[in-house]
Amino acid sequence: MDMLTAEKLTAQDYRSDLKPVWCPGCGDYAVIAAIAKALAELQLPREDVAFVSGIGCSSRIPAYSAVYGFHGVHGRALPIATGLKMARPDMTVLVAGGDGDGFSIGGNHFMHACRRNADLTYIVMDNSVYGMTKGQASPTTEPDWEGSKLTPDGTHITPFQPLEIALSAGASFISRAFSGKPAELTRQICEGVNHKGFSLIHVLSPCVTFRPEQRAYKDKVHEEWRPTADRTEAFQKLMADDGFATGILYQGTKPPFRPEMGVPATIAEIEAQFAV
Amino acid sequence: MAISSVSIALTGSGGAGVMTAGQVLLDAAAKAGLYGLMAKSLGPQIRGGESAALLRISNEPVQSSDDTYDLLMAVDWGNIERFAAELPLSKDSVIICDPAQGPVPELMLTANPRVVNVPLKELAASLEGGRVNMVGLGLIAELIGLPESSIVDILAAALKKKGPEALEASKAGLRAGQKAAQSITGIVKLSPPGPSTTERWSINGNEATGLGALKGGVRFVAAYPITPATEILEWLAPQLPKVGGCLIQAEDELASINQIIGGSFGGVPALTATSGPGLALMSEALGLAVASETPLLVCNVMRGGPSTGIPTKSEQVDLNIALYGMHGDAPHIVTAPNSISDCVFTAQWSVYLAEAMQAPVILLSDQAMGQSKAIIDKPADLGFIGERLAAEANVENYQRYAVTASGISPMAVPGTPGGMYTADGLEHSPRGTPSTQASHHQEQLDKRLRKLTDFDYGDHWGDIEGDSETAIITWGSITDPTREAIDRLADEGVSVKLISIRLLAPALPDKFSAALKGVKRAMVVEQNHSRQFHTYLRGVYDLPADTITYHRPGPVAIRPSEIVEAVKAWNKGA
């Protein structure tokens, strides 16, 4: 009865009382704070919001919020969220996870979620490392990173480009933010939730434990992008991207995916097709 | 009493129209007040492969395919070696074939059937727009005594859009076939239909499964196509929007199973359908459904395996993966319809079970049941509708996974004020908070098992028929030939009790012991190579010391006579 009490919900009202498992200094603290702030700005009733995630450090995030949540299995946050949104179009559905969860084991779902363009807001906390399993290379890791025992000489694999893939596959809202600049991140989350269609919010969120050099992100990021509905322009910006440009890259007008409604019929009318 | 019937096999390469002819023949039989069954034998090719429509028509309900075919009409002999074993003949069988297609292959003559040559192609060619399958249809109908009017009615409806010329051409084909039949004598005729008292349906097992799920309350379906389960999904696609639901096509089975977890979390009863390889891909998420206590139904239509196996043929081979395919201690429900008609009930009941116990249900159907069409009495509706125990709004200190006596905890549907919780595949406290505590793990494991084992399943655990010291224990589509075998044995004075288990998991020892009351020896009948059912029964139940098995793999259907012979050999002490 949040709305009836007429009390304005604060960011704190969207937070649970659980203490995150994250390391001190993790970028994800700022992300949950920004999400709570955005939800408070939007004043969405808590019971009408669901937060879905997969597995990984950042995927712990739903339990730290005070909305409905689903902490699923590794890589499958987007299918769970898609199913929920199709079955319950009245719910506001947020999805969160990391770069391993979303772009490696869940890579196929990511591509197809962009294609489907269901009205979901997908927040990826990208730190270019598997943190929960103690520091392996992820799809966005630089090919020459030698910090992992699993690939001590580096991966020598071209890093995954989430924004290029999203734009190619048909996502209708694409942005990038930095966890160290929470105001911009909060604004993007509000815009993403308000956008009707699939919103990808790519958040550079440093892992201070396994990638301490990412502390330097704060000096590298530069707010640069302004939304365009022109895909050619968006692609050109991506071709010039150093990986640290922030802002809303693209916002298109493709209507969100919604299943068709049918002409109502009773079960007896449906069964009649089998009568001899 | 064993039934009197006529069995007909229509074979030919894809495009020859034998499936269409078989379908018309079945529909016409239904129109004439008869019962029937049509199984399909299909090759792996998309077009142009070998195919056979395998029919059995009777004035009584048809349970199973018969032992042999009375009539085999071959439009041609393309690839016959691939499926000759699926076309058993006897010395009383009659092969009708076109001499222009070459001599009858030797492997079709081993039982010494009568061969009748009819120039089917030439007859069709002599007619304006004539088609071989229509000539064959007229010939078969005349031979078995099916009235022409019922066939014309079906054709008129089917060819409505193609105009009167198409119907006239087909009728001319029928008549040419009828004329050719005049010179053929000594063919078994259909008994006239009895009075029709109940509404009859023409339905295949996959449609019946889809319908049962819809009746049980399924309103969200995520689909990834796979043979032989796709028809469940294709049937549901246009029906769901009529009842306020929807179906979406997923990018793979990992997505489809997780999508229905999401839909069900949203409070909407949800389903997907698949076959062995797809079920294997879904295993991880099924564990999530168990841990997060998310109700859902997976209809698994079994085919020959492992791996891609024999996708178009039937085998009861996914019992092991359905029972044991999950990681961790993951109590769940496994059901199996035991006839085409029962697909409606079992699917409907399975939705009810899933919702009532907030657990995943795997329903095991198979290709033989799913892709066979039957004329049946309209199945009774026992009124099972899925309904889950919902949490009220604003419950103080709401605990999603509260430890209750029944093991079932009220579930807050998103949108319920004050019910916000996070569903989790991590082990959790009653509130849902991830936990590694031994006591939490123990109490949540206990609760998830207890809710299944303490549930009242009523009389639907299995079908128990007859009373004897000798029992056959079986499941799924093999129940049909078993029932017929037991009927035939009864005609010979041999009584056998049938125990066909519909609820395969959880194991309910009390139900099993009650079913075995008075039984001194048992035969376990199943269609797979490794005795999956027998091994399972031995693991969870006490079987009589004198228990044997009759089992073999597909793709050839188990026929009633095999089971009769197995029982007789057993009785002789062989």
Side-chain angles (χ1 to χ4, degrees):
Chain A
M1 297 293 129
D2 290 324
M3 298 311 279
L4 292 183
T5 55
E7 288 277 324
K8 226 178 149 204
L9 289 164
T10 65
Q12 199 54 39
D13 292 327
Y14 290 93
R15 297 287 298 271
S16 79
D17 55 359
L18 295 186
K19 188 174 167 290
V21 295
W22 301 322
C23 308
C26 176
D28 296 350
Y29 285 102
V31 180
I32 179 69
I35 290 168
K37 212 167 164 199
L39 292 173
E41 230 164 85
L42 296 166
Q43 284 294 297
L44 293 170
R46 289 174 295 189
E47 65 271 19
D48 295 341
V49 181
F51 202 170
V52 180
S53 69
I55 294 295
C57 296
S58 55
S59 289
R60 289 285 192 133
I61 207 163
Y64 307 145
S65 75
V67 298
Y68 280 92
F70 205 120
H71 184 208
V73 289
H74 199 27
R76 318 293 168 219
L78 285 169
I80 290 179
T82 301
L84 174 61
K85 185 68 188 179
M86 294 302 108
R88 289 292 305 278
D90 56 315
M91 297 290 298
T92 296
V93 182
L94 310 177
V95 198
D99 38 308
D101 185 75
F103 305 145
S104 190
I105 188 168
N108 194 37
H109 306 309
F110 172 61
M111 196 163 63
H112 291 282
C114 293
R115 284 182 58 222
R116 186 174 281 113
N117 196 39
D119 188 13
L120 304 172
T121 303
Y122 184 32
I123 301 161
V124 180
M125 286 153 264
D126 187 352
N127 55 15
S128 300
V129 75
Y130 284 87
M132 193 152 265
T133 50
K134 312 275 190 281
Q136 295 79 30
S138 89
T140 56
T141 301
E142 307 84 322
D144 57 352
W145 181 65
E146 297 179 352
S148 169
K149 289 185 211 166
L150 199 58
T151 51
D153 301 321
T155 65
H156 304 292
I157 302 175
T158 305
F160 188 86
Q161 301 297 332
L163 279 60
E164 288 177 28
I165 300 280
L167 189 59
S168 298
S172 57
F173 178 105
I174 300 166
S175 73
R176 187 190 285 139
F178 170 50
S179 61
K181 292 196 167 178
E184 186 187 11
L185 174 58
T186 304
R187 189 174 54 80
Q188 285 185 15
I189 295 168
C190 288
E191 296 282 333
V193 171
N194 283 333
H195 175 77
K196 297 292 168 221
F198 185 80
S199 307
L200 170 69
I201 300 171
H202 181 224
V203 187
L204 302 172
S205 179
C207 174
V208 295
T209 300
F210 298 106
R211 304 296 307 268
E213 70 277 17
Q214 289 176 347
R215 289 178 198 273
Y217 277 5
K218 65 177 186 300
D219 305 319
K220 293 185 178 173
V221 292
H222 45 100
E223 192 173 343
E224 188 158 319
W225 293 333
R226 296 281 172 275
T228 173
D230 180 348
R231 292 176 84 232
T232 306
E233 190 188 330
F235 271 118
Q236 278 165 349
K237 285 180 186 169
L238 279 178
M239 291 304 105
D241 180 29
D242 62 354
F244 293 96
T246 65
I248 297 170
L249 172 74
Y250 175 77
Q251 185 166 15
T253 53
K254 189 169 81 168
F257 177 83
R258 275 288 299 276
E260 298 287 322
M261 291 294 116
V263 179
T266 64
I267 295 287
E269 285 164 346
I270 289 171
E271 284 181 339
Q273 66 184 278
F274 298 117
V276 167
Chain B
M1 273 282 286
I3 69 167
S4 93
S5 64
V6 179
S7 289
I8 305 141
L10 308 174
T11 76
S13 303
V18 297
M19 285 302 171
T20 306
Q23 188 61 57
V24 173
L25 201 56
L26 186 75
D27 291 346
K31 197 95 189 163
L34 297 159
Y35 292 93
L37 177 71
M38 180 172 122
K40 290 179 182 176
S41 174
L42 300 161
Q45 302 87 337
I46 308 308
R47 289 185 76 107
E50 70 279 10
S51 61
L54 308 169
L55 291 100
R56 189 183 190 190
I57 301 171
S58 173
N59 60 345
E60 295 172 67
V62 175
Q63 298 173 339
S64 144
S65 291
D66 205 350
D67 302 330
T68 55
Y69 292 93
D70 302 301
L71 274 174
L72 184 152
M73 190 187 75
V75 171
D76 61 61
W77 295 111
N79 296 324
I80 191 71
E81 69 286 353
R82 291 186 188 163
F83 62 113
E86 295 171 52
L87 306 169
L89 301 175
S90 74
K91 63 176 177 38
D92 299 322
S93 303
V94 177
I95 292 177
I96 293 166
C97 55
D98 191 336
Q101 298 295 327
V104 180
E106 277 302 317
L107 79 171
M108 299 308 296
L109 296 172
T110 48
N112 206 20
R114 180 151 64 108
V115 176
V116 176
N117 285 310
V118 179
L120 296 164
K121 208 169 174 183
E122 197 184 305
L123 284 171
S126 69
L127 304 165
E128 176 83 25
R131 283 181 52 85
V132 171
N133 63 342
M134 289 299 125
V135 176
L137 188 60
L139 180 114
I140 296 282
E142 182 70 12
L143 287 177
I144 63 174
L146 192 65
E148 187 200 348
S149 60
S150 54
I151 293 187
V152 172
D153 282 354
I154 298 297
L155 286 175
L159 298 171
K160 211 170 176 178
K161 282 190 189 148
K162 293 195 175 170
E165 296 82 14
L167 182 61
E168 284 313 312
S170 291
K171 277 158 92 172
L174 288 179
R175 297 215 178 94
Q178 284 166 351
K179 211 170 153 195
Q182 303 302 334
S183 57
I184 307 168
T185 54
I187 305 289
V188 57
K189 298 262 181 200
L190 285 166
S191 303
S196 175
T197 49
T198 50
E199 184 181 333
R200 302 261 172 91
W201 279 9
S202 172
I203 192 167
N204 71 39
N206 280 342
E207 293 165 339
T209 301
L211 174 66
L214 201 68
K215 289 170 68 129
V218 163
R219 293 296 179 268
F220 179 65
V221 174
Y224 191 75
I226 184 167
T227 304
T230 311
E231 293 94 345
I232 296 177
L233 303 162
E234 288 179 336
W235 184 81
L236 281 164
Q239 312 304 334
L240 283 159
K242 297 178 190 169
V243 291
C246 70
L247 176 146
I248 59 170
Q249 182 173 336
E251 55 270 29
D252 55 31
E253 286 96 343
L254 304 170
S256 56
I257 185 72
N258 281 284
Q259 285 170 346
I260 67 167
I261 288 174
S264 179
F265 168 71
V268 179
L271 164 158
T272 190
T274 190
S275 188
L279 184 61
L281 287 172
M282 293 178 185
S283 290
E284 186 197 23
L286 284 165
L288 173 63
V290 170
S292 64
E293 302 199 42
T294 308
L296 56 84
L297 175 59
V298 177
C299 299
N300 184 72
V301 186
M302 296 179 287
R303 65 191 215 186
S307 190
T308 312
I310 315 180
T312 54
K313 314 270 179 180
S314 199
E315 215 172 40
Q316 293 180 307
V317 280
D318 294 337
L319 181 62
N320 278 352
I321 188 175
L323 292 167
Y324 311 116
M326 292 184 208
H327 53 289
D329 286 317
H332 61 285
I333 301 158
V334 180
T335 59
N338 61 22
S339 69
I340 290 173
S341 176
D342 189 51
C343 286
V344 180
F345 170 76
T346 298
Q348 184 171 354
W349 189 52
S350 296
V351 179
Y352 165 80
L353 296 179
E355 293 290 315
M357 287 177 267
Q358 300 174 18
V361 177
I362 300 171
L363 176 150
L364 292 175
S365 174
D366 60 25
Q367 186 275 335
M369 197 148 55
Q371 294 191 323
S372 293
K373 195 157 201 170
I375 311 299
I376 55 171
D377 291 329
K378 180 185 174 179
D381 186 345
L382 301 189
F384 283 103
I385 306 275
E387 196 177 348
R388 65 182 81 158
L389 183 64
E392 314 245 332
N394 299 313
V395 174
E396 207 171 322
N397 295 323
Y398 170 66
Q399 295 192 322
R400 165 65 186 104
Y401 302 108
V403 177
T404 60
S406 66
I408 298 164
S409 325
M411 184 172 182
V413 172
T416 307
M420 289 81 76
Y421 75 99
T422 294
D424 211 316
L426 280 169
E427 190 57 285
H428 38 256
S429 69
R431 192 186 144 188
T433 307
S435 170
T436 56
Q437 270 182 43
S439 60
H440 285 148
H441 189 42
Q442 181 77 49
E443 71 186 10
Q444 292 293 320
L445 285 170
D446 287 345
K447 139 193 216 306
R448 293 193 291 256
L449 179 62
R450 182 167 72 240
K451 68 180 181 179
L452 304 192
T453 52
D454 289 5
F455 190 79
D456 179 7
Y457 296 89
D459 296 332
H460 309 294
W461 172 82
D463 289 347
I464 300 154
E465 293 161 14
D467 203 6
S468 169
E469 291 185 354
T470 302
I472 293 181
I473 308 171
T474 190
W475 69 287
S477 70
I478 301 306
T479 304
D480 276 330
T482 302
R483 276 198 176 107
E484 183 152 347
I486 289 173
D487 285 350
R488 292 189 199 175
L489 286 161
D491 287 350
E492 297 179 32
V494 179
S495 77
V496 177
K497 183 177 195 171
L498 172 73
I499 302 171
S500 172
I501 303 180
R502 182 179 287 106
L503 183 75
L504 297 165
L508 300 176
D510 289 349
K511 297 264 188 204
F512 192 77
S513 298
L516 274 190
K517 198 159 176 265
V519 172
K520 296 221 167 78
R521 53 183 205 149
M523 178 188 282
V524 177
V525 180
E526 58 185 310
Q527 191 179 26
N528 59 65
H529 189 252
S530 60
R531 291 185 295 109
Q532 296 185 13
F533 185 50
H534 180 232
T535 307
Y536 173 62
L537 293 177
R538 286 190 64 177
V540 296
Y541 295 131
D542 290 328
L543 290 167
D546 186 1
T547 296
I548 65 162
T549 72
Y550 181 77
H551 68 280
R552 64 165 178 80
V556 176
I558 290 184
R559 308 268 173 176
S561 63
E562 284 179 71
I563 301 167
V564 169
E565 292 311 315
V567 170
K568 285 183 178 172
W570 186 27
N571 286 347
K572 274 190 206 145

